[in-house]
Amino acid sequence: MKNHERKVGTVSRGIRCPIIREGDNLAEIVVNSVLEAAEDEGFSLRDRDVVAITESVVARAQGNYAPVSAIAADVKAKTGGDCVGVMFPILSRNRFAICLRGIASACRKIVLMLSYPSDEVGNSLVSLDRLDEAGVNPYSDVLTLERYRELFGANPHEFTGVDYVQYYGDLIRECGAEVEIIFANRPKTILNYTDTVITCDIHTRKRTKRILRDAGARVVLGLDDILTESINGCGFNSSYGLLGSNKATEETVKLFPQGCQPLVLDIQKRLLDATGKCVEVMVYGDGAFKDPQGKIWELADPVVSPAFTDGLRGTPNELKLKYLADNDFANLSGEALRAAISESIKAKDANLKGQMASEGTTPRQLTDLIGSLCDLTSGSGDKGTPVVLIQGYFDNYTTA
């Protein structure tokens, strides 16, 4: 009798859930939603399936929100509120503008230093071709606002149509602070204007802080140093501060979820009790992928996943099937090729690092890969699927 061969590999399903509110029992809602979807759609959970929950509903259930006034109070206490350099922010109304409102409300003057030709995640201020035409070297040249406008004029964002230089300048003035805008990429440049700095970069923040401290800055903060504790009972994030926050209303931010490891363990246990299957669980935010058209790197959160179960640690350990087919078994075809590749997979080492047969497989953390799949599955709009169920991710060619 011919062995049954499964015809479907990895499947990613968006799971619809009720609208989550502060104080809701999120673990119960997630588990019930997954089990109801399985019954409704006629599938069963298996060991090593992955249940992923978007960070936004975790933070919402936690009530992890803060008003602009709390940001302002913390900035005032930590900087003194005189002339403060705000450097390397990303260009985003959702991600940064609300934070800037709080920072500017606390200060007499803001020196806003923008990286160019783009921000850290790829939002463009001006193209590299135009820099070349103007003879500008972004690694060394410092541009004033006047010089930037003289050379490049207004440059609205390709997708949003917003001129972020104008938008951020107007926002700072609306908050009652003076503003001076410069364009530079060397962190030490800001110290020509002020010795009190908030560096707003995400993934390069540790290096930027080190450079500024070594250069003699008096106060060096990152967004991850603001709202690390509650101000007057508001939300906070002890690990990431304002990093990973989003605009909730015109006067409040939703912070990255705080301390959500117990949540993923709770969901894992509830599913094990209900189904007998050991399912992996993670919280995810932005995926880690780049848009080839707009050159935007999606990851504006400090990490893809702030909490996950132990089975999601590490990187993939996979053989490249096309390498085996084109090299080791180039003389085989049909059933003989399938059998040879299957045996290679069954016999593969626990760690294929450095072996040619794994060349071309994706050398990234599992949580970054799976989180990207989840982000693309759930979307960022009105799909209503804040939970994603992934099945078959850890299967291979030999899995029945």
Side-chain angles (χ1 to χ4, degrees), residues 122-145:
N123 293 294
S124 178
L125 284 174
V126 61
S127 71
L128 281 169
D129 289 334
R130 293 188 69 190
L131 289 185
D132 292 342
E133 292 168 5
V136 173
N137 183 345
Y139 301 103
S140 60
D141 293 350
V142 178
L143 305 179
T144 63
L145 176 59

Side-chain angles (χ1 to χ4, degrees), residues 11 23 87 103 106 108 170 175 189 202 212 214 225 258 260 274 309 315 337 351 373 396:
V11 175
M87 58 187 289
I103 294 168
R108 177 185 64 81
D170 289 346
C175 293
T189 299
I202 305 162
L212 292 171
D214 290 349
D225 298 309
Q258 165 76 9
C260 42
T309 51
T315 58
L337 176 60
N351 184 356
L373 175 57
N396 60 46

Side-chain angles (χ1 to χ4, degrees), residues 15-38 51-54 57-58 60-62 263 266-267 270-271 281 384-388:
I15 305 297
R16 289 183 177 170
C17 298
I19 302 299
I20 306 300
R21 294 297 187 190
E22 180 177 350
D24 284 350
N25 187 330
L26 187 56
E28 181 178 290
I29 291 172
V30 169
V31 169
N32 289 344
S33 297
V34 170
L35 294 178
E36 287 167 8
V51 170
I53 309 99
T54 184
V57 298
V58 179
R60 192 184 305 154
Q62 292 176 342
L263 172 69
D266 186 12
I267 293 172
R270 287 171 183 253
L271 286 171
V281 184
T385 55
V387 173
V388 175

